[in-house]
Amino acid sequence: MLKFTFYGHSCFQLDDGAHKVLTDPFLTGNPKAAISADKVEADTILLSHAHGDHFGDAQAIAARTGADVVGVPEVLGLLDLPAAKLHGMNLGGSLVLPFGKVRMTLAQHSSGVAGGIACGYVIYIGGKVLYFAGDTALFSDMQLIGKKDALDYAMLPIGDNYTMGLEDAALAAKWLGVRHVIPIHYDTWPIIAQDVEKYKEVTESMTPAKVDIVRPGESIELA
């Protein structure tokens, strides 16, 4: 089974029993963080962009755990880690990793580092196909992401202001054709406070997707 653990904001861990994949590890300074940077485990870290609330503790966690770090080259250039541990990618590229594979996807957002771009990932792990959108606005090519792969789960930001809000994230679920959505990137601060139950209601009324609300510190098995 594949376990999803939400650590708050856009940080979650995927655990297939042999590998632990961590996303956007903003833990230090995160008022909703469910674990500290010196306790979280990772074999691979996926970075969507270089804003502090996503790049976060990547350096410290990777140095402590020996995790490989995946991202666009400009973001990886901010890290002081052995070159063999850094795996640069760009949009549309795929990379085979010990747990499976990732494909880097477009995200409509600023990057946090000069010359860089924001991204998302399609993640192939534990027999599932997952879409981690990163920080993004709604964009029509989400339909292509869903057409290329039959997505089991999508982790979508719903916080508004900096990313999609409730309505756009519901439409994203429809365009992706995904079976399940896990909302992320909301309620960390008042400016991105959202009624996640309302998001569940709206999304499930307009799409076949089931919305799984996972609170910081909670884990679910991905079916």
Side-chain angles (χ1 to χ4, degrees):
M1 293 292 289
L2 181 62
K3 184 169 75 170
F4 171 97
T5 301
F6 188 40
Y7 291 131
H9 204 55
S10 291
C11 182
F12 59 85
Q13 183 195 76
L14 301 171
D15 184 349
D16 67 358
H19 309 94
K20 293 179 171 65
V21 179
L22 190 69
T23 65
D24 286 357
F26 167 51
L27 301 171
T28 303
N30 177 357
K32 299 291 186 179
I35 196 169
S36 62
D38 62 344
K39 296 290 195 296
V40 71
E41 294 301 323
D43 302 304
T44 303
I45 298 171
L46 304 179
L47 294 177
S48 67
H49 62 296
H51 288 153
D53 61 325
H54 294 263
F55 188 82
D57 298 292
Q59 170 72 41
I61 295 169
R64 177 177 59 82
T65 63
D68 295 318
V69 186
V70 179
V72 299
E74 291 84 357
V75 171
L76 297 185
L78 301 174
L79 296 168
D80 181 18
L81 295 169
K85 290 294 181 180
L86 303 176
H87 301 278
M89 299 183 68
N90 220 307
L91 300 180
S94 295
L95 177 67
V96 174
L97 292 160
F99 62 83
K101 187 174 75 169
V102 297
R103 186 174 74 253
M104 185 174 279
T105 64
L106 176 68
Q108 294 285 7
H109 192 72
S110 55
S111 71
V113 61
I117 53 173
C119 70
Y121 296 91
V122 175
I123 308 167
Y124 309 76
I125 181 173
K128 303 296 181 186
V129 184
L130 318 174
Y131 172 51
F132 167 44
D135 273 10
T136 190
L138 179 70
F139 58 96
S140 60
D141 280 1
M142 286 181 174
Q143 296 168 91
L144 299 180
I145 295 172
K147 286 179 180 178
K148 184 171 175 62
D149 287 294
L151 298 172
D152 297 301
Y153 284 79
M155 293 70 175
L156 302 179
I158 68 167
D160 215 346
N161 195 77
Y162 299 112
T163 69
M164 299 185 289
L166 301 187
E167 295 82 4
D168 282 1
L171 185 54
K174 181 177 181 179
W175 284 354
L176 290 162
V178 67
R179 294 196 301 116
H180 295 262
V181 176
I182 300 175
I184 60 174
H185 201 279
Y186 69 97
D187 283 0
T188 313
W189 305 286
I191 198 169
I192 58 170
Q194 291 293 334
D195 182 348
V196 70
E197 295 290 350
K198 179 66 174 177
Y199 174 69
K200 178 179 174 70
E201 176 187 337
V202 170
T203 302
E204 291 183 349
S205 71
M206 64 183 284
T207 81
K210 179 180 183 294
V211 175
D212 298 315
I213 298 172
V214 186
R215 309 289 181 180
E218 293 180 347
S219 299
I220 62 170
E221 298 289 342
L222 301 190

